[in-house]
Structures are given as structure tokens and as C-alpha cells.
Amino acid sequence: MLAVLALLFAAEGCNYKKFKEIRATSWSLESVALRGLRSLEASLELELENPAGKVTLKDITGILYYNGVPFVNYSVDPLTVSAKSTQTYHCSCVFELDPGVPILDLLATLPELSSENMTTDISAKAKVKGISKSFTFKNVPVKRFMKKK
């Protein structure tokens, strides 16, 4: 899902009209593996509809905020989306609790977590036809990515 987030925002910043039409049609969580007490690795399956040309996203990183406070730092492995296609992609993400979040606070917060109270900052580098451009977006509501068509 985070790869989709980066993809959609990177596409919105492009001057190419078709890149704005890239959509995630579905996503699912394939696996989750704990990496100690403060981080985990997740594997996602994404179905992306791309009416535009091939785009490669890399250096995808971000911060997830809960009620305006840094909560989770994340990174996503590079992703290349094929041109003019609807395909399924697999990507790996790493999530780490922000150093300022005590584990006991996390346990107390889990039952009330809601995308309504979450925003994200995200950075990515998109490469289209040999041209790379870096993008950074701040304070984006997470609920924007939870809506279904």
C-alpha cells in the first residue's frame, strides 16, 4: 500500500497527464515479520492500473504521524510499474517505531488507531524515460489512500 502511496503522489507531480491516471485497484497484506520490538517487515501485493508509460520508483521513505506526532518511519523497496497495463506487483516495506514512541504507548494506542487521525510525509524518486525526479509530500491524510472506488 505504501508503494501505491508513493506512486500516486509521484505521478501527480509529473508533467505527463497520463501518469495522473495511475490507480491502485486492490492491495493485500501477504506477510508480516517482526524485527525486534520496534520494527517489522511487511510484504504487500498490489494491483496497479497504469495507462501511462513505464515508471520506476526508488528511495521511497516516509514518516507516519498519529495526531500530529511522529509515530512510524517506513521505507519501501524499489518498484517498477509496466507501461499501459494492469498488473499485480509485490513489494517489501519496513516499518520502525519512531524513537520518541515508547512501546507501552504503542500498546495503549493500538485499539484506537484510525486513519482519520493519521497523516504521512513521503519522499520518492521517480524515473520515466531516463529522467529522474525527486518528490516530497508533507502532511498527506492517510485516509485518502483508504478509500475504495
Side-chain angles (χ1 to χ4, degrees):
M1 165 111 158
L2 295 175
V4 172
L5 174 79
L7 178 63
L8 293 176
F9 276 123
E12 285 183 21
C14 289
N15 292 328
Y16 303 104
K17 185 178 178 181
K18 286 280 186 189
F19 285 99
K20 292 181 181 181
E21 297 174 17
I22 296 172
R23 297 286 177 252
T25 55
S26 68
W27 68 276
S28 64
L29 186 62
E30 291 183 318
S31 66
V32 175
L34 291 176
R35 295 179 14 166
L37 293 174
R38 300 193 61 84
S39 67
L40 62 86
E41 188 170 335
S43 180
L44 302 175
E45 180 179 272
L46 310 164
E47 184 176 276
L48 300 177
E49 182 180 297
N50 181 11
K54 178 180 170 183
V55 61
T56 300
L57 296 165
K58 62 181 186 174
D59 301 333
I60 306 165
T61 60
I63 301 171
L64 190 64
Y65 295 87
Y66 183 69
N67 289 330
V69 177
F71 187 62
V72 172
N73 301 304
Y74 61 88
S75 61
V76 181
D77 284 351
L79 178 69
T80 298
V81 181
S82 299
K84 298 180 181 172
S85 66
T86 299
Q87 290 188 13
T88 300
Y89 300 88
H90 302 272
C91 67
S92 294
C93 313
V94 174
F95 301 89
E96 294 183 15
L97 278 179
D98 188 84
V101 176
I103 291 176
L104 291 177
D105 285 0
L106 170 67
L107 295 174
T109 304
L110 280 177
E112 60 192 49
L113 278 179
S114 166
S115 63
E116 293 291 322
N117 301 330
M118 296 177 140
T119 59
T120 188
D121 295 347
I122 190 163
S123 298
K125 186 180 286 184
K127 185 175 181 181
V128 178
K129 294 185 179 179
I131 299 171
S132 290
K133 180 166 171 102
S134 294
F135 300 93
T136 300
F137 298 91
K138 301 234 178 234
N139 202 29
V140 179
V142 170
K143 67 182 176 183
R144 176 177 176 183
F145 305 100
M146 301 306 213
K147 293 179 183 175
K148 296 190 179 198
K149 283 186 168 182

